[in-house]
Amino acid sequence: MVRTQKGISRFFSRTLVFLMVLFASCATVPPAGQNPAYPAGYLRASPLWGRLQLAASPRLKEALAQNESLKDVVNRAHSLWFSVHLAGFHPQSWVLIAQGDYPKGLVGLVLDTKPHWVQEKKTVPQWFDQKVGLWVFLPEDGLVAASSESFTPERATWSPEVFRQVPWPQVHGSGLYLEVQEPAKLLFGEKGARLFPIEKLILRLKAEENDWSGPLELQFKDKQAAEGSLFLLKLWTASQRLGVSEAPNPLLSFLNKVTWSVQDHSVWGTPVTVPYTVVEQFVNKLTAKKGTP
């Protein structure tokens, strides 16, 4: 009889703990009293970083949720912050910070019950998807961090390095905001950097029904460098329109209708239209192979 009472007591205790976690999740809100760009502090310095506003792109959100590894994260996300290291056009490593309705306790509980996911507790508590090679770390309520590499104590600590670089007024007004440092060097090496000495590429796009649309800004050190690159950009765009490029890249195909102009030390391209399918393809590449993005 005593043993039965202990069993009943243990059952109700565990049930109570579960209900407390469940009810707490209903009242969870994103970090309070913090800058809206706060999640960027969990990224790391990268030549390519940005923010995707999923709330403004329901069709894209639905498409991204088709990816089994990202489905649960995307369904509860309001926005996605990301940083990517590239070798040419190929992603080598990446970090994604999802901001949304994520109670830390409940998310951890769900991950513990999913097949293929294994929890690691040696340095930083995190989960690893053995099927696709995806690491997930829970920094705090409202945030989920995913990466192609495991989270070390340094990478799991909030840092002001990227946070301070975020021009929030421009980011906030964009459905897709993207910054790339020295894009020609990043994509084409030293020769590309000498041909197009672009210091920074900035995309500020508004969400439409099927795509994003907005201006592309290429920043140079001075107006002379901008004007010198303008002719080459127009020539390249013309080659894309005529289809004379030997191996046109789908990630650049949306630039073939852009008109280029110089303003101060920047070259502006308008209008830039990026179909949602381009980002869908990019995300699929990031999670296509086990252990590599």
Side-chain angles (χ1 to χ4, degrees):
M1 180 68 178
V2 173
R3 184 176 301 175
T4 301
Q5 290 177 339
K6 287 183 178 180
I8 294 174
S9 177
R10 188 161 48 245
F11 169 78
F12 279 110
S13 296
R14 291 176 178 175
T15 302
L16 180 61
V17 170
F18 173 78
L19 290 175
M20 288 175 65
V21 171
L22 185 62
F23 290 146
S25 71
C26 299
T28 300
V29 296
Q34 295 166 335
N35 189 295
Y38 175 82
Y42 284 107
L43 299 175
R44 284 301 173 261
S46 169
L48 187 159
W49 71 273
R51 176 180 182 261
L52 173 64
Q53 181 71 358
L54 282 177
S57 309
R59 176 176 166 176
L60 175 64
K61 183 173 182 177
E62 182 180 355
L64 294 178
Q66 299 301 315
N67 185 295
E68 191 64 29
S69 297
L70 298 176
K71 179 174 64 177
D72 291 334
V73 172
V74 170
N75 281 337
R76 302 176 71 91
H78 305 317
S79 59
L80 302 176
W81 296 79
F82 56 89
S83 61
V84 182
H85 286 271
L86 296 173
F89 289 102
H90 305 289
Q92 296 300 301
S93 62
W94 53 274
V95 177
L96 183 149
I97 309 297
Q99 184 177 16
D101 301 321
Y102 304 118
K104 184 175 179 179
L106 183 59
V107 173
L109 184 65
V110 170
L111 287 172
D112 283 335
T113 63
K114 282 189 169 294
H116 309 298
W117 288 88
V118 177
Q119 186 175 14
E120 300 282 347
K121 299 181 180 180
K122 294 180 180 179
T123 54
V124 177
Q126 57 192 298
W127 288 261
F128 179 63
D129 187 338
Q130 297 174 309
K131 190 175 181 180
V132 298
L134 178 72
W135 296 87
V136 168
F137 160 63
L138 307 177
E140 54 189 89
D141 284 338
L143 300 177
V144 172
S147 177
S148 59
E149 301 175 342
S150 62
F151 288 92
T152 62
E154 180 183 4
R155 295 182 67 232
T157 302
W158 189 89
S159 169
E161 186 175 2
V162 177
F163 168 74
R164 289 173 179 167
Q165 300 176 11
V166 176
W168 177 246
Q170 289 84 3
V171 175
H172 175 66
S174 304
L176 173 63
Y177 182 90
L178 180 70
E179 278 195 18
V180 186
Q181 299 288 338
E182 297 184 292
K185 180 179 180 180
L186 184 66
L187 298 176
F188 308 114
E190 294 293 341
K191 292 183 178 180
R194 289 194 293 270
L195 187 62
F196 292 108
I198 307 168
E199 294 186 343
K200 185 185 291 187
L201 178 155
I202 302 176
L203 267 177
R204 303 180 184 91
L205 305 181
K206 297 282 188 180
E208 306 291 346
E209 183 178 357
N210 299 313
D211 49 45
W212 290 288
S213 182
L216 166 66
E217 180 184 4
L218 303 175
Q219 296 182 354
F220 296 80
K221 64 178 180 179
D222 52 42
K223 187 172 183 177
Q224 183 179 0
E227 291 177 339
S229 296
L230 180 62
F231 172 75
L232 294 175
L233 284 168
K234 289 182 176 180
L235 185 64
W236 176 84
T237 302
S239 70
Q240 292 289 310
R241 290 172 179 169
L242 295 173
V244 300
S245 176
E246 294 182 2
N249 191 286
L251 292 178
L252 296 179
S253 61
F254 56 84
L255 293 177
N256 61 8
K257 297 181 180 179
V258 170
T259 299
W260 302 98
S261 62
V262 173
Q263 297 179 28
D264 297 325
H265 65 286
S266 295
V267 174
W268 289 80
T270 55
V272 174
T273 300
V274 182
Y276 292 155
T277 53
V278 171
V279 177
E280 293 169 24
Q281 293 169 8
F282 188 65
V283 171
N284 289 336
K285 285 186 177 182
L286 289 179
T287 57
K289 298 180 180 179
K290 181 178 179 180
T292 58

